[in-house]
Amino acid sequence: MATTARVRPAALILTPTAEARITELMAKAPEGTIGVKLSTPRRGCSGLAYSVDYVTEAKPFDERIDTPGGTLFVDGGSILYLIGSTMNWVEDDFTAGFVFQNPNAKGECGCGESFTV
């Protein structure tokens, strides 16, 4: 009896505008860049913050999400805080940035820059 493995769903969902922004970032990335990486370093008034940076090498426990315009890596130490989240890119007259809808967040600071789980 043969078994077939189902495709594992991505750890987080990227909206079309987030995918487009990753494409733009990769188009102007420094030489040697293999993708962008999402992590949750400890900072801000609520404890954890979202950080997106260029990456030149993949770490063994990073989650890899391939998009049409490039690869998003999710830090292995941050993945449990982000499972089920939606990552969006939003621009208005005053700000532009990635915005997250995170079902794991129990609270966030007033400015939305950091969160707690």
Side-chain angles (χ1 to χ4, degrees):
M1 177 171 165
T3 60
T4 58
R6 67 180 174 88
V7 176
R8 188 175 70 169
L12 68 141
I13 299 162
L14 280 77
T15 65
T17 55
E19 288 182 351
R21 181 59 182 163
I22 290 171
T23 301
E24 292 172 13
L25 289 170
M26 290 305 296
K28 58 184 176 184
E31 189 173 330
T33 299
I34 63 167
V36 292
K37 185 172 186 175
L38 172 61
S39 60
T40 56
R42 296 202 177 279
R43 70 170 182 245
C45 45
S46 288
L48 297 170
Y50 301 103
S51 178
V52 179
D53 300 293
Y54 290 117
V55 64
T56 57
E57 67 177 302
K59 303 286 184 191
F61 294 105
D62 286 351
E63 182 78 16
R64 179 187 176 116
I65 301 172
D66 293 313
T67 73
T71 303
L72 172 70
F73 293 92
V74 182
D75 177 66
S78 301
I79 195 71
L80 291 177
Y81 305 132
L82 299 169
I83 290 175
S85 296
T86 299
M87 181 177 177
N88 192 13
W89 176 259
V90 177
E91 292 184 39
D92 64 24
D93 290 341
F94 301 104
T95 61
F98 286 108
V99 176
F100 298 87
Q101 292 177 332
N102 187 342
N104 306 298
K106 301 298 180 211
E108 60 183 39
C109 65
C111 64
E113 292 292 319
S114 60
F115 67 101
T116 185
V117 289

